[in-house]
Amino acid sequence: MRWENLAVGSGRDRAADAALFGADSVTTRTFDAPGFRGITFHEVRARSIVNRVPGASRLPFEWTVNPYRGCTHACVYCFARKSHRYLDLDTGLGFDTQIVVKVNAPELLRRRLASPHWPGEHIAMGTDVDCYQRAEGRYRLMPGLIGALAEHANPFSILTKGTLILRDLELLKRAARVTEVGLSVSVGFTDADLWRAVEPGTPAPERRLEVVRTLSEHGIGCGVLMAPVLPFLSDRPAQLRATVRAVAAAGATSVTPLVLHLRPGAREWFTAWLGRRHPHLVRRYERLYAQGAYAPKWYQRRITRQVHELAREYGIGPACAEPPRQSLRPEPAGPAAPEPTATGPTRLTPLRGHVESIGRHAAARSGRA
């Protein structure tokens, strides 16, 4: 990789460089420990951590924080693979094994939130790569990020496939006393064989649903992003029913389906996998995605209708139209607020409407750190 491409004055656009990091700020490490063998971590001191989503993206959130680049979840369909091209890293195996860690993320976020120019708007995390991927167990960046957001009563949301979020349960509860916090877990299907094939580095679907169940037992609302629905692999009516039934049984407050999309970087890697594992489907995918990264609207609408009908049958509704956009003011000084219970009120809410737009986030990427 050519880290010098990221240094200020390297000849690339300086506005983009300012959001990245210099070549002298990179430390590369490997760890000979179970779960980390074969993975290289590039520890960097980033220049910024709060990224603005381009207005043309039409996403219902404007700001994101991504403490990592690359992801050990190794999902063969991950749209964020393209981001590794900006670092001259491979978008296939390199994306799965070359992980960039922004070790100064919490201090950068604190600095940004303290700025008089910060508008105090909603910040989404986990919309690019998973902030609770395996690396988080070692680097522990999320407690600092959550703490900073709580200190400034800044609303935020987290989307994850990781079970490690339960480590930060008490931090999330404390944050929820002063601001809006949205939580959502991604579970696209419950087929064990398919999970092992396309999401080899993630916790099993039943373990992710156990996260939803645990949060629910603590009185914390948690939605499920049913993503991706894989055409011809996880979209049969019986498969959709099994997934929605499991989501409902876990106590999810909402379920939002999202059909697979194939942006450059992800498209090549997924197609190669498809050719090895399901060669008879390659031509069908080529036809379905002939017009671009997204499946035809008629197909997306069919899946959405089926999932929403099943959700109503099992007693959970589709996500609401809009996410929380403003923080709640801190409670007046007085007795400490009681811990949330399964039947008591809580400000921890499902990720709501903006999970429906996560899939379009790839189109909005600008290559910033």
Side-chain angles (χ1 to χ4, degrees):
M1 94 192 84
R2 297 191 297 274
W3 290 105
E4 63 269 20
N5 285 353
L6 305 177
V8 173
S10 65
R12 296 175 57 180
D13 179 76
R14 290 184 178 237
D17 292 336
L20 298 174
F21 37 85
D24 59 351
S25 65
V26 181
T27 301
T28 298
R29 301 184 192 277
T30 59
F31 302 105
D32 187 20
F36 291 102
R37 292 191 180 98
I39 300 172
T40 301
F41 296 96
H42 305 285
E43 300 173 358
V44 306
R45 294 193 64 80
R47 300 190 191 283
S48 69
I49 195 64
V50 181
N51 298 320
R52 188 165 200 161
V53 177
S57 69
R58 296 185 297 176
L59 293 175
F61 53 86
E62 296 184 35
W63 306 94
T64 63
V65 164
N66 296 297
Y68 301 98
R69 275 190 178 215
C71 187
T72 52
H73 284 344
C75 302
V76 298
Y77 52 76
C78 183
F79 72 82
R81 290 182 176 276
K82 184 180 179 181
S83 66
H84 255 37
R85 286 183 180 170
Y86 303 116
L87 307 182
D88 292 321
L89 287 167
D90 174 51
T91 60
L93 185 61
F95 181 84
D96 304 337
T97 61
Q98 302 281 331
I99 310 302
V100 176
V101 184
K102 302 170 192 175
V103 293
N104 60 334
E107 64 184 84
L108 285 175
L109 181 59
R110 279 192 169 85
R111 188 185 310 163
R112 186 64 186 277
L113 297 178
S115 168
H117 303 295
W118 172 246
E121 295 180 4
H122 184 99
I123 289 177
M125 294 183 284
T127 61
D128 196 355
V129 300
D130 203 319
C131 49
Y132 281 107
Q133 61 174 288
R134 206 177 308 163
E136 173 61 16
R138 176 171 289 272
Y139 287 98
R140 299 182 63 87
L141 299 179
M142 288 302 291
L145 294 172
I146 294 170
L149 290 159
E151 288 169 18
H152 292 273
N154 199 99
F156 66 94
S157 58
I158 299 172
L159 170 66
T160 184
K161 285 187 175 81
T163 56
L164 191 57
I165 190 173
L166 294 179
R167 178 201 66 190
D168 297 336
L169 181 58
E170 293 305 316
L171 289 174
L172 292 167
K173 286 181 179 180
R174 288 199 288 272
R177 295 194 187 108
V178 296
T179 190
E180 287 281 354
V181 180
L183 301 180
S184 190
V185 172
S186 177
V187 183
F189 41 81
T190 54
D191 184 301
D193 292 334
L194 186 59
W195 157 66
R196 293 188 187 96
V198 301
E199 300 173 342
T202 65
E206 59 266 26
R207 291 186 60 202
R208 286 177 250 162
L209 290 173
E210 189 59 37
V211 169
V212 177
R213 184 174 293 108
T214 299
L215 293 172
S216 178
E217 289 171 353
H218 282 81
I220 298 171
C222 182
V224 167
L225 179 63
M226 190 171 161
V229 175
L230 300 171
F232 320 123
L233 291 170
S234 68
D235 64 348
R236 294 194 301 274
Q239 292 173 304
L240 297 177
R241 175 174 290 276
T243 301
V244 175
R245 181 171 60 239
V247 168
T253 55
S254 66
V255 58
T256 303
L258 189 69
V259 174
L260 173 72
H261 65 278
L262 296 171
R263 300 291 296 175
R267 189 177 190 120
E268 297 86 349
W269 191 246
F270 180 82
T271 300
W273 172 85
L274 197 67
R276 293 191 304 270
R277 299 296 293 267
H278 303 281
H280 62 289
L281 293 180
V282 171
R283 183 57 187 147
R284 296 182 72 181
Y285 266 82
E286 289 175 347
R287 288 195 296 266
L288 191 65
Y289 289 88
Q291 300 304 312
Y294 296 92
K297 289 190 179 298
W298 64 261
Y299 179 86
Q300 296 184 53
R301 288 168 180 154
R302 189 186 80 190
I303 295 300
T304 298
R305 182 177 64 253
Q306 288 178 292
V307 170
H308 286 178
E309 288 173 354
L310 289 165
R312 285 191 292 271
E313 180 180 338
Y314 287 105
I316 53 176
C320 299
E322 292 292 333
R325 301 305 295 261
Q326 297 180 342
S327 64
L328 297 182
R329 295 187 179 278
E331 304 252 352
E339 291 294 306
T341 65
T343 56
T346 175
R347 289 192 191 131
L348 279 161
T349 61
L351 197 52
R352 298 188 185 276
H354 76 257
V355 296
E356 298 176 331
S357 301
I358 296 295
R360 294 190 290 277
H361 188 244
R365 286 197 48 78
S366 61
R368 299 182 62 188

